[in-house]
Amino acid sequence: MLNRTTPPYIKDAIEFDLQLKPYEKMVLDNGVEVYAIDAGAQDVLQMEMIFYAGNSFEKNNAVAAATSYMLKNGTSTKTAFELNEHFEYYGAYCNRTCKHETASLTLHTLTKHLSAVLPVVTEMIADSIFPEQELAIYKQNSKQKLSVNLQKCDFVANRLIDAYVFGEDHPYGKYIAAADYDALTTAQLKEHFNQYYLNGHCVIFVAGKLPFNLFDLLNTQFGKLSLKPGALLVTKTIVPAPAKKYRVTNDAEGVQGAIRIARDFPNRHHPDFMKMMVLNTVFGGFFGSRLMSNIREDKGYTYGIHSYVQNHLQDSALLISTEAGKDVAEATVEEVYKEMAILREELIDEEELLLVRNYLIGSILGDLDGPFHIIGRWKNIVLNNLDEQYFYDSVKMIKTIPAEALRELANKYLQPEAFYELVVI
């Protein structure tokens, strides 16, 4: 019989031995690599085709994003309506996204319908025609959405802070204006499509309950295309803004200010990147962080404040982001710097550090729950040209990094003079 007077043993997350499920790798006839995770109980799968076709490669502003979006807007045999109807008929969903270095085409489908929907995906990446009328609709909708967003202080702040840190000519720092949408032509989109999709570099990630003939299906559909494996990334020089502090009035009658405080930071290949995952979590990386406890819970200046390292493949930045009433915006900025100073001067106590370690390990546990999460982990590793050991080194770092090392890291990177500071009202 259970002794209910004795509480159960509580096991800290850091006591778990985390294991990253290995992938199965396949290579198509054209050299394109496929990374697959066969797991899950449901008859579903996710396939993501990553093309090196982001805005780093575009010759004119907005071309990469427009090309990515319009992959689903018409081929020589199917209209945009017919493409969407085909996916909906099989209960599938096909989405497009465009980032700085990469653009992706993501398919979610029932495993049993994969053979029926794959040919249409092939048609999209081999035979998109970018109809004039569809481009006109895209331009009109994009300009309208931009016009609405430009009235929001947080949207303006996000655009400007990246431009300050990286420079307006850097892929991470440039932003789109209405005139860029007006200047788009089908010829520009077709040129970008031909170079970076039809004849571009690609890698494929598949996860879920996989069919036994997955390789044959993928090789039949994509192995004969003019795709190439891997890619060399386009390196751009960072030319940051000369001044460090900015105050922008976007709406004279606005009652809220968007605050962004950011500095450059090394990418995942630098040894400090792993360490910063721990320090940043203490600083502003979760709901129990120093910034949240002070600026939200104690001062009541904001509903939420967060800090994070941007997820880019090459250069990166450490960013603090929040919105606060305009009458307390300057006080909020000062409190951020006060928390930086405390981390530079005082050691994090073991109780708080244990909480953060358990939170981070718990987050990783969540990321290992299910095939889609697991392939997401592998995607980050593969696209950043890392290996499996990076995952285990990260876990070890979280479990063992001492408070002294975190204080040294704070003194290296949390110096106020290194940060760009922006408040947009």
Side-chain angles (χ1 to χ4, degrees), residues 308-322:
Y308 57 93
V309 178
Q310 291 181 337
N311 185 25
H312 300 320
L313 295 185
Q314 297 188 84
D315 307 302
S316 192
L318 174 63
L319 178 66
I320 298 100
S321 172
T322 189

Side-chain angles (χ1 to χ4, degrees), residues 111-126:
T111 303
K112 62 184 179 181
H113 294 324
L114 182 62
S115 59
V117 295
L118 273 185
V120 179
V121 175
T122 304
E123 191 173 345
M124 289 165 56
I125 63 175

Side-chain angles (χ1 to χ4, degrees), residues 170-238:
H170 193 281
Y172 299 172
K174 67 179 181 179
Y175 47 83
I176 299 174
D180 296 322
Y181 290 120
D182 288 328
L184 286 173
T185 66
T186 54
Q188 291 174 333
L189 271 58
K190 287 178 179 178
E191 180 185 1
H192 189 84
F193 171 76
N194 286 332
Q195 185 171 357
Y196 298 112
Y197 288 90
L198 190 58
N199 298 287
H201 296 267
C202 178
V203 59
I204 301 174
F205 298 91
V206 190
K209 197 169 184 180
L210 306 182
F212 71 93
N213 60 339
L214 175 68
F215 177 75
D216 291 335
L217 287 172
L218 296 180
N219 200 39
T220 298
Q221 294 299 325
F222 307 127
K224 304 300 186 290
L225 300 179
S226 301
L227 299 172
K228 297 181 283 290
L232 289 176
L233 298 175
V234 177
T235 302
K236 298 283 187 177
T237 303
I238 295 177

